[in-house]
């Protein structure tokens, strides 16, 4: 029997060799924690389909961002859940709207210690649950929505958001918001473009988290799950329009898109490990069917390996503690 000269197992023999030979690393500064804050709450409320994740009150939000700053994770991404909604999402650009108030609250607590990011999309604020405003025929009106996004972006920048997460998948949204920010002097406000955001089943638990009013789906604006090249094209367009960071979302079902986008652009590429990805691992772990800590860290490492420079994940805080303990 012939035997290979080269023995790959040499690099796996001891924990010290494996640590030294590891190609991909995961550190707390690469993790961003999404947070939900609901108007009118006096204390936090659990989200049934996302065990361990809550809708925050302004007080509990203050506490968790202080914890996130102490853990030195990369940042937080804020989502607002308003008490009342309307057709155009008026709460989104109201300085007294929940997301803008929450942003001010967070900035007053942590300042620049965390990169404080805000979701820039209308779906949490509209009574129909779509990411934009509707035309008379019921379709989402792209260009009318851009006007709402620029107003929302300016309100978020005024509230102190360091980075706007444009998650609505309207054509031209990055260019429109960049232009509006620059015209008002917000030249330092960063834009995170959710460039390749796929329409699919993995956002289910999020809809509970934000009390979504959506009936139907988002297939006329989010990408078709079969389309990888189109995801790359969207990322290239967003870079051209001025995106500082581009993102692929969801993460695990789209690792090929992540790798292709990474190869195609020279700005940072992030991934969003979404609510459904979170719920799957939590549910299997709750049954004792999977090792929770192992599965969480392996999923994050896999997303990094595929090309993500940073990851939005509901496990950001807990994973940061595990990663420190492993050092
Ligand atoms: C839109 C938005 C969504 C998510 C983040 N931003 C919902 C959607 O597109 O339907 C989903 C995140 C998750 O599922 O964890 N504001």
């Amino acid at each position: 029997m012939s035997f290979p000269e080269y023995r790959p197992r040499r690099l796996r023999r001891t924990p010290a060799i494996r640590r030294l030979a590891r190609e991909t690393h995961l550190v707390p500064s690469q993790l961003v924690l999404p947070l939900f804050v609901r108007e009118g709450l006096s204390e936090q409320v659990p989200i049934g389909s996302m065990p361990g994740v809550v809708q925050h009150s302004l007080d509990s939000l203050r506490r968790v961002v202080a914890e996130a700053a102490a853990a030195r994770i990369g940042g937080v991404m804020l989502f607002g859940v308003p008490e009342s909604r309307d057709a155009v999402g008026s709460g989104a650009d109201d300085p007294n709207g929940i997301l803008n108030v929450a942003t001010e609250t967070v900035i007053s607590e942590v300042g620049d210690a965390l990169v404080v990011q805000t979701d820039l999309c209308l779906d949490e604020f509209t009574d129909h649950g779509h990411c934009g405003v509707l035309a008379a025929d019921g379709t989402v009106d792209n260009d009318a929505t851009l006007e709402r996004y620029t107003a929302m972006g300016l309100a978020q920048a005024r509230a102190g958001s360091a980075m706007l997460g444009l998650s609505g998948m309207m054509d031209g949204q990055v260019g429109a918001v960049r232009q509006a920010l620059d015209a008002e002097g917000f030249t330092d406000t960063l834009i995170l473009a959710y460039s390749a955001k796929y329409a699919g089943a993995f956002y289910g638990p999020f809809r509970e988290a934000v009390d979504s009013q959506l009936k139907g789906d988002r297939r006329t604006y989010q990408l078709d799950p079969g389309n990888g090249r189109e995801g790359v094209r969207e990322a290239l367009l967003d870079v051209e329009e001025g995106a500082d960071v581009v993102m692929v979302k969801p993460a695990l079902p789209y690792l090929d898109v992540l790798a292709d986008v990474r190869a195609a652009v020279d700005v940072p590429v992030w991934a969003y490990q979404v609510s459904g990805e979170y719920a799957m691992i939590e549910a299997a772990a709750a049954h004792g069917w999977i090792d929770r800590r192992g599965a969480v860290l392996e999923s994050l490492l896999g997303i990094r390996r595929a090309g993500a420079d940073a990851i939005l994940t509901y496990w950001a805080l807990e994973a940061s503690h595990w990663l420190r303990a492993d050092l």
Side-chain angles (χ1 to χ4, degrees), residues 76-186:
V76 292
M77 171 62 77
L78 307 178
F79 293 91
V81 187
E83 238 162 14
S84 61
R85 300 176 162 93
D86 62 23
V88 297
S90 303
D93 56 321
D94 179 349
N96 296 314
I98 182 61
L99 181 53
N100 299 320
V101 170
T103 303
E104 283 173 1
T105 304
V106 168
I107 294 288
S108 76
E109 186 68 35
V110 301
D112 275 341
L114 286 175
V115 181
V116 176
Q117 308 163 39
T118 45
D119 185 54
L120 201 168
C121 190
L122 287 177
D123 65 317
E124 289 96 7
F125 296 95
T126 52
D127 53 13
H128 45 73
H130 274 294
C131 294
V133 293
L134 304 183
D137 65 359
T139 59
V140 174
D141 183 336
N142 193 90
D143 297 9
T145 299
L146 294 186
E147 286 177 34
R148 298 292 300 126
Y149 284 2
T150 57
M152 189 176 185
L154 287 172
Q156 294 184 348
R158 288 186 191 113
S161 177
M163 183 179 236
L164 313 184
L166 275 64
S167 67
M169 290 299 286
M170 294 301 127
D171 295 340
Q173 61 183 10
V174 171
V177 172
R178 182 74 270 163
Q179 203 171 25
L181 290 171
D182 290 352
E184 296 285 319
F186 292 109

